[in-house]
Amino acid sequence: MPLRLYRYILGKFTSTFVAALAVFTVLLLMDQASRQVEQLAPTAKSLKDFVITFLVMSPPLLTYTVPLAFLMAMIWTLEQMKQDREIVAVMATGVSPVRLMPPFLGASLLTFLIAWFVTAHAGPASFQVYNERLSDLARQSFVNDLKPGMFYNGIPGTLLLVGGFDRETGQIDGLVMVRSDLAEGESGEMILARTGQVRSPAAGDSDIVVELTDGTIHPVGSAKAEYRSGSFRKLISRIAGNPAEPELRTRKLLMASSNRELRSGLAGMEPGKGGKKEAMYAIELHRRLAFPVTILLYPFVVFPAAVTLRKRGKAAAFTVSLLLFILSFFLSSVGSTLAYQGWVPGSIGAWFPDIFLILAGGAVFLPYWFTHASGRHCRQRGQI
């Protein structure tokens, strides 16, 4: 009887989980596509470039859709069993409702392993490929559009003119570069150089790096008493192709780092003195385990509440699962913010959702367990 019942429950759960995972992933992919258009449009030269670069971002989205699909499937399955009076029938036989939990616990363990693999391995690897592809597209766009004897204004705040350019090697012969993207309060500048070299940007970076030799720098504007010019033997100029906050760039690089690289980065910082950077490393490292662990804790909160409450319908099941997931995500953001402010260690901030679920699970599940473990109340209670 239990094995047949468990197989039946897992069958209903699995079909709902797969459907929910597909729907939520597609929805997030569509949202991600709209966000990526602005970043990829300046560099992608074809629809193929855009689609491939966009699809590389699919695995990291599973970090969010897998836990959400698990919640949706568990609550939906229990709600369906209540509507069909199946839980009442099971309890009428004298079986404790707690005996219905093993299939959900087994499913949570398997889902946890999937989510952990995605967050700890597949996600970072996918981000690394995505960052490298962005860098390649940025350089290809620059290389293809820069033409000798013609002004190039494809980089915000910068105007380029080259006498000669080799697309294969990136070698430049004769360059005039006028920049107006300097810090606030600084005037623009004009750089003249005899030769130069276009470098490939770092992974995840859309900036253009140009190494110039034998040149001069002049302020842009009319000559005044304080007019100063200078010369250089070698100058490395970093031109922002897609300006972004340094913190955002750091986060993108961290998300593409392996667990070993994150641990190595933390080991190189003096404990407690790394500031916000240390918190970012610690949060990213611990989040990769803390977020999947929430899946192991969800059943202890969801099962007692779903079985005890009266029938609310599938719309309520969807709403409850979404709200619980949003609450977990909100607590994760709160923990990260507190860690960035230095109020809690990053290792603690990443575990805020899990701490809440442990407390909530204890408050909800333990009383339910002591009441129903023996099954003596199954026949008297009419809570379904």
Side-chain angles (χ1 to χ4, degrees), residues 69-376:
F70 174 84
L71 270 174
M72 181 75 247
M74 183 174 180
I75 296 177
W76 193 287
T77 299
L78 289 170
E79 183 61 33
Q80 184 64 51
M81 293 179 69
K82 285 197 296 183
Q83 288 184 357
D84 296 339
R85 310 293 292 178
E86 293 171 340
I87 296 181
V88 173
V90 169
M91 294 174 66
T93 64
V95 176
S96 168
V98 177
R99 295 283 300 276
L100 300 177
M101 277 199 69
F104 297 108
L105 294 177
S108 71
L109 178 59
L110 181 58
T111 310
F112 158 76
L113 294 175
I114 295 173
W116 172 79
F117 175 78
V118 170
T119 57
H121 300 285
S126 178
F127 262 113
Q128 179 67 29
V129 174
Y130 175 76
N131 287 344
E132 291 175 354
R133 186 160 184 82
L134 279 185
S135 302
D136 290 341
L137 288 176
R139 185 179 187 279
Q140 290 173 12
S141 176
F142 179 79
V143 166
N144 292 334
D145 293 344
L146 186 63
K147 299 177 181 179
M150 296 182 65
F151 285 103
Y152 174 77
N153 59 358
I155 302 174
T158 301
L159 189 65
L160 283 177
L161 178 64
V162 297
F165 180 60
D166 189 331
R167 290 185 174 83
E168 295 296 327
T169 64
Q171 186 67 35
I172 296 174
D173 294 323
L175 173 141
V176 177
M177 178 167 62
V178 180
R179 299 187 59 179
S180 59
D181 62 339
L182 303 180
E184 186 177 353
E186 297 183 14
S187 61
E189 63 182 17
M190 179 173 62
I191 300 176
L192 308 176
R194 289 187 177 183
T195 60
Q197 177 78 38
V198 177
R199 286 186 180 179
S200 298
D205 206 340
S206 59
D207 290 1
I208 304 301
V209 180
V210 181
E211 183 178 296
L212 304 175
T213 56
D214 298 329
T216 56
I217 303 177
H218 307 271
V220 174
S222 59
K224 299 179 181 179
E226 64 273 14
Y227 180 93
R228 293 289 185 274
S229 65
S231 61
F232 59 85
R233 181 74 179 91
K234 178 177 290 187
L235 174 68
I236 297 178
S237 180
R238 184 184 183 91
I239 309 170
N242 186 15
E245 294 293 332
E247 182 176 316
L248 179 59
R249 292 185 179 182
T250 302
R251 287 180 180 175
K252 288 176 61 178
L253 292 176
L254 288 180
M255 294 172 72
S257 301
S258 65
N259 291 349
R260 178 180 297 180
E261 291 171 336
L262 291 174
R263 293 192 188 96
S264 177
L266 281 172
M269 303 178 192
E270 188 173 351
K273 297 185 178 181
K276 194 170 185 177
K277 184 177 181 181
E278 180 183 1
M280 294 176 67
Y281 271 78
I283 288 173
E284 179 62 26
L285 178 61
H286 286 270
R287 182 191 65 85
R288 296 181 180 183
L289 179 60
F291 212 63
V293 166
T294 59
I295 299 174
L296 297 176
L297 301 174
Y298 282 146
F300 296 97
V301 178
V302 170
F303 185 85
V307 173
T308 302
L309 294 176
R310 297 183 182 275
K311 291 183 289 184
R312 299 293 181 183
K314 294 181 179 179
F318 175 82
T319 302
V320 170
S321 60
L322 189 60
L323 288 177
L324 186 55
F325 175 79
I326 292 175
L327 178 60
S328 300
F329 191 78
F330 170 75
L331 291 173
S332 178
S333 299
V334 170
S336 299
T337 301
L338 294 177
Y340 293 151
Q341 297 297 326
W343 294 346
V344 298
S347 56
I348 300 298
W351 288 90
F352 262 40
D354 306 79
I355 295 172
F356 167 78
L357 289 173
I358 290 173
L359 296 176
V364 174
F365 183 75
L366 290 179
Y368 187 84
W369 168 267
F370 288 123
T371 302
H372 295 278
S374 63
R376 63 179 178 274

